[in-house]
Amino acid sequence: WNFCLLDQSTNRSYGNSIFASKRKEILLRDQDGKPNKERVFILECTKNVFTKSYSADVNDLRAWGEEDATQYLECIKNTLDNFKLDNNLLEK
């Protein structure tokens, strides 16, 4: 259920931390950075995961659950389906 893409430094910086800690680290690195750590580019979809933009219920920003992951995967599938449709139109 881990479909996020992060740079190596950010990914290693939080190890096995809970979702809330990972969220804080990613949002900090995307904005002004942290002392002794430079700002890094965070992919929009990765930010959306940690702000729970793909989730129907955003009441709990402290955890990433199975329902969150399922909704994110559905968004990925829908996006790919749309891409396939666009490619089919170009081939005609």
Side-chain angles (χ1 to χ4, degrees):
W1 295 100
N2 183 358
F3 303 115
C4 293
L5 298 175
L6 293 167
D7 65 285
Q8 187 177 32
S9 174
T10 302
N11 195 38
R12 288 183 176 172
S13 70
Y14 58 66
N16 290 327
S17 299
I18 61 173
F19 180 81
S21 296
K22 293 176 183 180
R23 180 180 187 276
K24 181 179 177 183
E25 180 73 21
I26 286 169
L27 295 178
L28 280 172
R29 284 179 176 252
D30 181 55
Q31 295 170 0
D32 296 328
K34 293 174 66 172
N36 302 321
K37 295 181 183 178
E38 64 184 58
R39 181 178 180 185
V40 295
F41 175 74
I42 306 292
L43 293 169
E44 195 67 29
C45 290
T46 298
K47 282 188 280 189
N48 289 345
V49 164
F50 284 94
T51 58
K52 290 191 141 186
S53 295
Y54 301 109
S55 303
D57 182 14
V58 293
N59 290 327
D60 187 4
L61 290 173
R62 296 171 294 144
W64 179 260
E66 186 175 339
E67 189 63 29
D68 298 308
T70 299
Q71 291 168 5
Y72 180 43
L73 182 58
E74 283 304 310
C75 184
I76 291 170
K77 289 177 181 177
N78 289 337
T79 300
L80 292 174
D81 285 345
N82 288 335
F83 179 74
K84 289 177 192 174
L85 290 174
D86 289 347
N87 271 345
N88 289 337
L89 291 174
L90 292 173
E91 291 174 3
K92 292 181 180 180

